[in-house]
Amino acid sequence: MIRLDHINKGWGEKKVLTDISATFYQGKCNFVIGASGSGKSVLMKCMVGLLEVDSGVIQYGGKDFVSLDYEQKKEIRKEIGMLFQGTALFDSLNVEDNVAFPLRMFTKLTPSEIIERVNFCLKRVSLDNVNKLFPSAISGGMKKRVGIARAIALNPKYLFCDEPNSGLDPLTSRVIDELIMEITKEYNITTIINTHDMKSLFEMGENIVFIYKGRKEWEGRREDIRSSGNEQLLKFMKASEF
Amino acid sequence: MKFFEFIGQYVLFLRGLFSRPEKFRVFKKQLMLEMENIGLGSFGIVSLISTFTGAVSTIQIGYQLVSGLVPEYLIGRIVRDSNILEFSPTVTCLVLAGKVGSSIASEIGTMKVTEQVDALEIMGVNSANYLVLPKIFAGLFTIPLLVIYAMFLSLLGGALSGMMSGIINLDFFVKGLRADFIPFSVTFSMIKAFTFAFIITSVSSFHGYKTEGGALEVGQSSTKAVVYSCMGIIFFDYIISELFLKR
């Protein structure tokens, strides 16, 4: 479980996140939604430690991530898997080496054990015979799958997905959604998904945080969205044709 | 003010860089790859530049010393000193600042704007240490070797051009090369090579690492890496000469 308490973040006079508190639950697909520029990505970057918050507490299983030093943060980061919007696969490494990367860096597995684990992860995301291909030679959907395979290679406790469906056709989007959902349940991971895709939200969103102009406007279950009475959330839904 | 800000950021960047590599085996593999890129990849251009620098310096020195009062072998001696002390380390490193520096800055810059550096950080990898340290060590190992190679080729080029143009025959040239040779010249050249290698790799990595934006910014970082590396080389060329050659 991840808990945010009164998170504030800004640059100079400009406040990007104001007093955000929320809880993201283990074994659930937690969604962060909001319009472009609302602060979703900044919130996610703060949560994984790519940006430092101005004030507030981020708790990973009870540990305050903000107050930890660099080495202690590194230990928590090893429990985090992240699927980037642009996949962020290493261009110079082939698919196999991309997935093997965290295993080579942080485990004492033998080369044959690493390959075995890589093949297991690739199979889990339904990829076969792509081990020796470079990221430039595979499609957007396959890149996302490789990104997921890399993210789950170390059996993470937390999975962050930044716009997992961006740039994908509707069919591939659904496949990726299903995959994220299956992995969340299978490994009992705390999954946080940052998205605009309302179809994904209504199919797999279990806990939803809606952000508007850097503030948390609403938090709840997907079943309660339509009856939330929150004007901004309903406007956002209407604009998304839901 | 901006200059001091730059120096401050650069020092902080270097401080974050020098920590124990996450896995020595991975570091060794990266180091070998970088040595291949920086060292072997620059072999051709260094050969060409140094041979012609030596050749041109012989012709120009010969042209300036046309006098019956000046012994002919002095051409060889001046070619030797100018190439060992200045041309081989400085010109080679200026060329490498262009070739290696821009390559390092654009590689790291592209990784930065495509979130590959963020991916490393989130995995718990010290991205600066993983990406930059092997490049610096590879530079410190291969660039001095390239400078030694450049010294040899520049003297060879000088001898060949002297013979071919009829300015000086080989015996006199070799006599000049051996006359009053001070071994410290080579040590001095190596001090410069190590310093310049560090400047090229670290300054270029720094500019790549602080790239933000897109393709345009990657190009700008690459240009800045070359310009600042060249400025650093010229500046430290003066400082090192002042420190070690002043009598």
Side-chain angles (χ1 to χ4, degrees), chain B:
Chain B
M1 198 63 200
K2 263 193 168 179
F3 174 74
F4 291 111
E5 202 180 305
F6 167 78
I7 296 292
Q9 286 177 349
Y10 176 65
V11 171
L12 285 175
F13 170 75
L14 291 180
R15 208 183 67 173
L17 196 70
F18 290 101
S19 58
R20 201 173 144 267
E22 212 73 52
K23 268 239 168 127
F24 192 72
R25 204 176 53 191
V26 177
F27 175 78
K28 208 172 90 182
K29 193 181 166 195
Q30 287 294 106
L31 182 66
M32 291 298 160
L33 273 173
E34 296 302 340
M35 278 166 63
E36 190 184 333
N37 285 342
I38 297 172
L40 285 180
S42 307
F43 211 66
I45 192 156
V46 169
S47 306
L48 190 77
I49 298 284
S50 51
T51 308
F52 280 90
T53 307
V56 170
S57 58
T58 299
I59 294 170
Q60 290 193 351
I61 290 161
Y63 170 73
Q64 289 175 62
L65 293 183
V66 182
S67 163
L69 298 171
V70 179
E72 210 175 320
Y73 76 89
L74 267 186
I75 294 174
R77 189 186 155 174
I78 295 172
V79 168
R80 177 198 73 200
D81 285 343
S82 55
N83 276 288
I84 291 179
L85 291 172
E86 187 62 20
F87 293 145
S88 292
T90 310
V91 174
T92 302
C93 287
L94 283 171
V95 170
L96 290 177
K99 188 194 169 287
V100 176
S102 64
S103 158
I104 289 175
S106 52
E107 181 194 327
I108 298 178
T110 305
M111 288 187 78
K112 192 81 196 295
V113 300
T114 55
E115 295 179 311
Q116 292 175 51
V117 172
D118 288 348
L120 285 170
E121 286 291 335
I122 287 169
M123 282 179 205
V125 177
N126 178 343
S127 59
N129 176 284
Y130 172 77
L131 291 172
V132 180
L133 206 59
K135 291 186 196 319
I136 291 182
F137 276 88
L140 288 174
F141 189 76
T142 55
I143 291 176
L145 289 179
L146 284 171
V147 169
I148 292 172
Y149 173 67
M151 278 179 206
F152 172 75
L153 277 191
S154 61
L155 298 182
L156 188 70
L160 286 175
S161 77
M163 280 194 310
M164 286 192 299
S165 58
I167 292 171
I168 182 171
N169 68 41
L170 188 61
D171 290 341
F172 278 125
F173 191 84
V174 171
K175 187 185 173 191
L177 291 184
R178 299 173 69 178
D180 303 323
F181 176 65
I182 304 168
F184 178 72
S185 300
V186 178
T187 309
F188 173 76
S189 184
M190 285 298 99
I191 292 169
K192 292 211 305 187
F194 276 109
T195 310
F196 298 162
F198 184 77
I199 290 171
I200 294 168
T201 49
S202 64
V203 169
S204 306
S205 300
F206 170 69
H207 281 289
Y209 204 77
K210 67 179 193 130
T211 308
E212 275 176 5
L216 184 69
E217 284 77 10
V218 173
Q220 286 170 348
S221 292
S222 181
T223 307
K224 273 187 195 167
V226 176
V227 171
Y228 281 69
S229 298
C230 289
M231 282 163 61
I233 289 170
I234 299 292
F235 178 70
F236 276 93
D237 189 19
Y238 171 74
I239 297 287
I240 294 168
S241 302
E242 181 75 22
L243 284 174
F244 291 96
L245 295 185
K246 210 170 165 186
R247 292 188 181 184

Side-chain angles (χ1 to χ4, degrees), chain A residues 67-80:
Chain A
S67 62
L68 299 178
D69 64 26
Y70 184 77
E71 289 301 320
Q72 291 169 320
K73 277 184 182 170
K74 262 171 72 174
E75 290 309 309
I76 290 192
R77 281 170 168 171
K78 287 173 192 170
E79 298 178 340
I80 295 176

